[in-house]
Every structure is written in structure tokens, then in C-alpha cells.
């Protein structure tokens, strides 16, 4: 294990790319990446995900406006990753099987698992051929508008975006938490793991990076990340349920 | 793209392994795999996950009993993947930042995303050095017992298991859905995509496989997968909330 093989080196040097060359990614390459990622493990072999390529420039701009990030419009290709129990609902109905379970927390989580596993395979597959990416949690800034834009039916939900493209930047690698802070044996630690050195490492990273340097350490970064208002994200619970998921939860917002 | 590079070939030939040689995976290899997977993209650089190695044989057997699968006890190494906002809560409290957002759907999903992305990186990293794996959604058969076994504090949740080991089987590759059934352009399809040929492919796979052959086609497989009782999985909503997550949902079961 002293030398990294090709795949380990690829994973170890992962960097999120947010500036892409204008060159679009060829359709056959996108199809090849998706065909590759389709081999990812899925929950009970149910393949509870779908992928939508957004090529319409007006839709791309609308999604960039939701995300608040110009790289959502300016990239080589934009994918939206959909948690999907709709296809299974159709198949179940054709077999005259009641679809009650598809509305459970269990099956929502299964769809989320499958969608996110495939997303990471797409990231790795793309990087292996020199294509960078950024995973876009920011599509959830307005999930309802995403649903309308992509004409998403019941039992589907737009979980993540994935912007792909040929890199136009070479950012420095962000230091990760020390392994002892994320990896435990047999039980969760009874006391918090001290992160003094890591706080300093992250501060040094932020101070030294080329773009938007600042003095934040890791603890301050985490505090800031939960100091913002949720905005439309406060409606996520109601929107997920309006799509037919997580019906074993209740909300006060069902009349919205 | 006509030739597959090493990483694309690895992803394309992924197979879940459920029979492992008794040989344990060396600790330094596990640590190397985790250090590699830690470079995976995380939501807003918040690293909302933890990983617990289960080496205690009584705990391993207890988790195998929850999963109902002997390969959960019989493998080279067992990891439990934890969605984790507890570490962030500690950091936020140290900065005197209110932790309200950590209890939202938004931050639960962020933790799920990070945990599942890292899980897939672990699968890929392991396969690159000849270690097979099976992702264990079955730990959710009794999430409450998992929480007790692993002493999981508030704002943590045991999302998935990952059994790793040197393969003792070479299963055939399961045919995936045709790309046109999972990949769309600009909007979700307005009519279901016909799966006649794929149904036949899956039926042929099940008929021809060495272990437990059967005649099920894909549509029948999906119908069967939602015909079972949820068992303890019906309590998932209440258990997730008892851990402090998804508090913007309500349940009828809050008194449990």
C-alpha cells in the first residue's frame, strides 16, 4: 500500500472544479459515463434513480439562478440526479402490487442512497478521463421550482446537480479531518475529538488559497455554515411530501 | 472512449461480493482506504459523516442478526457508515452558534449525501486493490438497536453498513436498466419507458445464475421488493427524529 494505484491516486487527489472551459462534453462521453456509473451497487437491485441532462440553455440559466452559482450555467454538461420511485411505481402497478411501501421513509432513503452512490461513481468516472465536476446541493435552494422545470412526477425528487466540464482551474487540495476524528472502533467516542491542529491547518489553507483568502478556521467554518437562514430550504419537508415521499412523517405545512 | 481506462473498467465490472475469505483485512489497509475516501467531495466542506469499524465479535454477530445475513459476521472487515451532525454540533457550541439548523431536513440530507458519497468511494478504493464489498441497507432492519450497540449520540444515525473482504466468489454481472430508461434530456419522460427486453434480460440472468436460480423478470422483482412487510423499518421516521434529525417533520409517534 505504499504506492498508490491509479484509482487510489485519483480518489486521493480529488478536487472540486468550479471553473470549466467552454468546450461541451460530447454526447457519447456523457452516455459512456452514465453507462459506467449504472454498474454501481443499488438497494435490492431496484435502481431507484434517474438522471436528467439539462441542455436547454433557458433551463440551465434558471437552475443557475436557483443555485446562485454561475458555474451551473457555465460548464461542459449539467446533470440533475433524481431520487426515483416513480419507475418502480409503474412497474408495481403493472404487476397489480400495491405501492404503499414506496411512500415510506425506508424507500425514500433507498432512493437517496442509490442516487448518491451513482453520483459519486459519475464523479470518479469523469475524473478518470480528465473531466472535473462539482456536486450541486444548491439545487435544493428551490426544490419546487426544480420539480416544475424538469416536469418531475410524483415519487421523484431532484436531489443533487452535477456540473461536469474540462477544468479551467487547478485549486489547492483542502485538508481533510484527521482520520481519528472520523473513524472509530466499536462505538462512537464518548468525548469530542480535539481538533486544534486541524483548525490551524484549515486556517492556513484558507489564508493561502488564491481565490477569496480568509482567516476562518474549521470550527468557525462549521459555525458559519449553520448561521445562515434556510430560505426556501425550510420548505423541503413539505415539498418532499408533496412528491409522495416520507408520508410516515407529518408536517404542519400540508396545506401549502 | 473505445478503450476503458483502469478506473472505468473497475466501475464497469463492479459486482457485489457476499462470500469472503476468512482472512481479515489489515488495519493499515483499512486506514488507507478511509484516508483515501476522506478526499471525497462533502456538502459545503462540512464532512458530515463518521465511520465505525466493528471488530468486537459479539457486536458483529448482533449486527449480523439485525441484517439477517451471515456475511455481516463473516467478512474481512465491517464498517458502519454514520450520518453525523454531532461533531458539527460540538464545534458550533464551542463557537456559541445556535444549532437549530442541524435539526432540519436540509442538514439531515447533507449528512446522508456525505455519508453515501464516502461509502461509494470506499467501495471503489477497495475494489482497486482486490477487496470486494457489500453495502448493507439491512442495518436499518433495527436502527434503534444499531444506535444502542454503537452508542450513537444525538445527531448521528447508522445509515449503511459496508462489509469488506477478499472475495470467495465470482458472481455474474447483473444487467442494468437500458440507459434510455434512466437518462433523460431536459424533462422527465411523460410516458413510462417500455422495458420488455430488459425484463427478459433480467429473467435470463436469474435463470442462469449459479446461486438460487429463479424465473423472476425485472418487473416482478420490483413488485416483490415492495410486497414485504416493513417490520421495524416502519419505525424509521420516529427513530430518526428521536436522534434529533428531521424535526421540521412531525409524526404521530413522538411519544414512543
Amino acid at each position: 500500500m505504499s504506492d498508490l494505484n491509479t484509482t487510489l491516486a485519483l480518489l486521493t487527489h480529488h478536487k472540486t472544479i468550479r471553473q470549466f472551459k467552454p468546450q461541451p462534453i460530447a454526447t457519447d462521453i456523457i452516455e459512456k459515463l452514465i453507462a459506467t456509473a449504472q454498474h454501481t451497487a443499488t438497494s435490492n437491485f431496484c435502481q431507484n434513480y434517474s438522471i436528467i441532462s439539462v441542455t436547454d440553455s433557458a433551463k440551465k440559466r434558471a437552475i443557475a439562478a436557483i443555485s446562485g452559482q454561475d458555474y451551473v450555467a457555465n460548464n461542459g454538461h449539467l446533470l440533475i440526479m433524481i431520487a426515483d420511485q416513480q419507475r418502480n411505481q409503474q412497474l408495481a402497478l403493472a404487476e397489480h402490487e400495491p405501492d404503499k411501501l414506496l411512500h415510506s421513509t425506508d424507500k425514500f432513503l433507498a432512493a437517496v442512497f442509490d442516487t448518491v452512490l451513482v453520483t459519486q461513481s459519475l464523479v470518479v468516472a469523469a475524473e478518470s478521463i480528465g473531466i472535473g465536476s462539482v456536486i450541486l446541493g444548491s439545487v435544493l435552494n428551490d426544490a419546487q421550482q426544480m420539480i416544475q422545470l424538469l416536469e418531475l412526477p410524483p415519487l421523484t425528487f431532484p436531489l443533487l446537480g452535477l456540473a461536469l466540464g474540462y477544468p479551467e482551474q487547478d485549486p489547492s487540495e483542502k485538508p481533510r479531518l484527521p482520520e481519528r476524528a472520523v473513524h472509530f472502533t466499536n462505538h462512537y467516542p464518548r468525548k469530542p475529538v480535539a481538533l486544534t491542529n486541524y483548525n490551524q491547518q484549515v486556517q492556513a489553507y484558507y489564508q493561502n488559497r488564491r481565490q477569496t483568502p480568509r482567516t476562518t478556521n474549521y470550527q468557525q467554518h462549521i459555525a458559519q455554515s449553520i448561521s445562515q437562514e434556510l430560505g426556501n430550504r425550510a420548505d423541503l419537508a413539505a415539498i418532499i411530501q408533496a412528491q409522495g415521499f416520507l408520508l410516515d412523517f407529518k408536517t404542519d405545512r400540508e396545506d401549502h
Side-chain angles (χ1 to χ4, degrees), chain A:
Chain A
M1 295 287 294
S2 55
D3 289 321
L4 295 181
N5 68 36
T6 310
T7 301
L8 292 179
L10 191 73
L11 293 168
T12 301
H13 298 298
H14 164 78
K15 293 181 271 189
T16 290
I17 300 297
R18 294 183 175 82
Q19 278 182 263
F20 301 101
K21 295 188 199 300
Q23 181 187 351
I25 301 174
T27 304
D28 66 328
I29 294 182
I30 294 296
E31 289 175 356
K32 183 75 198 166
L33 293 176
I34 290 175
T36 301
Q38 281 192 260
H39 290 275
T40 306
T42 83
S43 307
N44 296 312
F45 188 39
C46 288
Q47 308 177 77
N48 306 308
Y49 68 89
S50 287
I51 304 172
I52 299 184
S53 281
V54 183
T55 59
D56 178 276
S57 58
K59 283 196 189 188
K60 246 179 129 163
R61 284 194 304 272
I63 297 170
I66 290 169
S67 285
Q69 306 290 358
D70 60 4
Y71 47 77
V72 178
N74 301 320
N75 50 57
H77 197 87
L78 178 63
L79 299 175
I80 307 296
M81 308 299 297
I82 312 291
D84 191 348
Q85 295 287 8
Q86 160 72 22
R87 185 172 47 239
N88 292 344
Q89 186 185 40
Q90 296 296 335
L91 295 170
L93 291 177
E95 286 287 321
H96 309 289
E97 181 66 40
D99 69 350
K100 179 164 181 288
L101 251 67
L102 294 178
H103 304 280
S104 64
T105 299
D106 186 41
K107 293 301 179 193
F108 179 71
L109 284 179
V112 172
F113 294 163
D114 290 0
T115 307
V116 180
L117 292 169
V118 165
T119 302
Q120 178 59 8
S121 286
L122 282 170
V123 168
V124 174
E127 287 180 0
S128 82
I129 56 170
I131 293 174
S133 66
V134 50
I135 298 175
L136 307 163
S138 52
V139 297
L140 294 183
N141 287 349
D142 194 338
Q144 190 56 53
Q145 204 190 329
M146 291 294 298
I147 289 165
Q148 285 157 2
L149 276 170
L150 301 177
E151 304 176 34
L152 297 182
L155 291 175
T156 62
F157 191 76
L159 218 49
L160 292 166
L162 181 63
L164 299 161
Y166 297 100
E168 184 72 300
Q169 63 173 173
D170 184 20
S172 43
E173 289 174 25
K174 269 188 188 141
R176 278 2 195 206
L177 281 163
E179 189 227 355
R180 63 180 172 75
V182 301
H183 179 206
F184 317 121
T185 303
N186 291 322
H187 62 81
Y188 199 88
R190 286 147 197 163
K191 285 193 295 192
V193 176
L195 294 177
T196 316
N197 289 341
Y198 183 63
N199 270 327
Q200 290 166 359
Q201 274 180 50
V202 170
Q203 190 169 45
Y205 162 82
Y206 279 129
Q207 282 175 327
N208 295 326
R209 73 175 180 182
R210 276 158 294 197
Q211 294 185 313
T212 58
R214 49 193 170 112
T215 61
T216 321
N217 68 24
Y218 188 66
Q219 179 169 298
Q220 291 163 341
H221 165 72
I222 295 297
Q224 286 172 11
S225 76
I226 61 168
S227 68
Q228 284 131 39
E229 292 295 318
L230 280 173
N232 285 333
R233 286 173 175 255
D235 298 331
L236 271 177
I239 298 166
I240 291 170
Q241 287 198 320
Q243 289 297 102
F245 287 117
L246 293 175
L247 299 189
D248 42 8
F249 286 92
K250 297 207 184 305
T251 73
D252 285 336
R253 311 182 59 101
E254 280 166 27
D255 51 330
H256 280 218

